[in-house]
Amino acid sequence: MIDTQKKEAAKRRAVRKAVNHEQKRKQILDVAGEMFFQQGYANTSIDDIAAQLGVGKPFIYYYFKDKAAIFETLCVDSSDQTYTSFAVLNDKTMTATERLQCGLRNMILNYIDTFVGGALYYKEPGLLGSDAKDCIRDNAVKLHADLMHVLEDGRKSGEFMYEDTKLAALMIGGSIGFMFTWYRRDGALSPTAIADLMVSNLMKIVLAPDYRAIHLAPDAKLAASEG
C-alpha cells in the first residue's frame, strides 16, 4: 500500500514538473517570437529576450541551445500544427466540398494560432538550419498532397470545376501562406470570422456553378454578422 502511494506521488510530481517545464519553454517562445516578429531576428539578442522575461540568460539556455534554436522551434512548431489540417478529416461520409471547407478552416485557424512562427518562416527562411528546412519542406509536401487529393475527389464527383489541380492547390495554399502580409491580430474580425470569410472566397476558385449557391452563402453570412 505504501509503495503504491509513493509511486502515485512520484507520478504526480513528474507530471507537475513536465507541465512546468513546458509552460516555461512556451513563455520563452512567446516572448522571443514576438520580439523577432516586431523588431527582426538580427536586432534581437538573448540578452534582450532575457530582459523582457525578467530572467537571466542561463534560464533561456536551459531550454534552448541558442537564439537560432528558438527561431527554428517557432517555425517548425507552426508547420507541425498546420500540415495536419486535412489529414485529420477521416469521416468517409463527408463530401469533397465539406472536406475542403473543413480542411481550409483548420488550416487558417492553425496558421493564426501559430501566426508568429509561420510569419517568421516566410519573412526570414534563410535563417533555418538544414534539419528545420527539411522538416518544414516535408510538412508542406504532405499538406499540398492532402489538398490536391481533396480537389481531385471533388472534380471527379462533379462538385469542383477547374483547369489544373496543382495550380488550384497553389492558389489556395498561397492565399493562406501569405496571410502574414496583411493579417493583424488586433483587427476587427475574430479568427473564426476571418476563417469563414476566407473559406467562402477560396471555395469560389474551385466550386462548380451548381454548388456555389448551396455552399457559399452560409459562411459569408456568419462572418458578416460577427463583423
Side-chain angles (χ1 to χ4, degrees), residues 33 54 97 129 220:
T97 299

Side-chain angles (χ1 to χ4, degrees), residues 10-206:
K11 287 181 181 179
R12 289 193 293 270
R13 287 195 297 270
V15 170
R16 287 196 297 269
K17 184 177 180 181
V19 170
N20 188 46
H21 182 280
E22 185 57 31
Q23 288 175 339
K24 290 178 178 178
R25 179 179 178 276
K26 185 178 185 303
Q27 185 181 18
I28 294 171
L29 289 171
D30 288 344
V31 170
E34 193 63 31
M35 295 180 77
F36 292 156
F37 183 75
Q38 295 294 340
Q39 61 194 44
Y41 178 84
N43 296 323
T44 304
S45 66
I46 291 292
D47 287 305
D48 295 331
I49 298 169
Q52 187 68 25
L53 285 164
V55 300
K57 288 194 293 184
F59 175 85
I60 296 174
Y61 286 126
Y62 177 79
Y63 294 93
F64 296 97
K65 181 178 67 174
D66 51 27
K67 186 174 74 166
I70 300 175
F71 182 90
E72 290 184 350
T73 300
L74 286 162
C75 296
V76 171
D77 283 356
S78 177
S79 174
D80 284 344
Q81 182 169 328
T82 303
Y83 94 93
T84 60
S85 298
F86 287 90
V88 297
L89 301 177
N90 297 318
D91 189 345
K92 302 300 182 182
T93 66
M94 295 175 71
T95 65
T97 299
E98 290 168 339
R99 285 161 56 206
L100 183 58
Q101 287 176 317
C102 289
L104 291 178
R105 195 171 192 275
N106 288 343
M107 187 175 171
I108 294 164
L109 290 176
N110 284 335
Y111 185 88
I112 290 175
D113 188 48
T114 60
F115 174 72
V116 168
L120 289 174
Y121 168 71
Y122 280 99
K123 291 175 72 173
E124 302 189 87
L127 297 175
L128 293 173
S130 58
D131 288 345
K133 284 182 180 178
D134 289 344
C135 178
I136 293 173
R137 187 182 301 111
D138 289 345
N139 286 346
V141 169
K142 293 172 186 174
L143 176 60
H144 187 69
D146 288 340
L147 175 55
M148 289 184 64
H149 181 71
V150 176
L151 291 174
E152 285 289 357
D153 284 350
R155 183 155 69 170
K156 291 175 183 176
S157 68
E159 298 168 66
F160 303 156
M161 182 181 295
Y162 55 84
E163 292 296 325
D164 183 88
T165 303
K166 184 176 181 180
L167 179 59
L170 288 172
M171 291 171 63
I172 291 171
S175 297
I176 298 172
F178 280 87
M179 283 176 63
F180 77 90
T181 62
W182 59 265
Y183 174 67
R184 297 294 178 269
R185 287 166 289 177
D186 59 352
L189 293 179
S190 69
T192 54
I194 290 174
D196 289 336
L197 280 171
M198 288 187 68
V199 170
S200 181
N201 282 283
L202 290 173
M203 292 298 295
K204 294 175 184 178
I205 297 174
V206 297

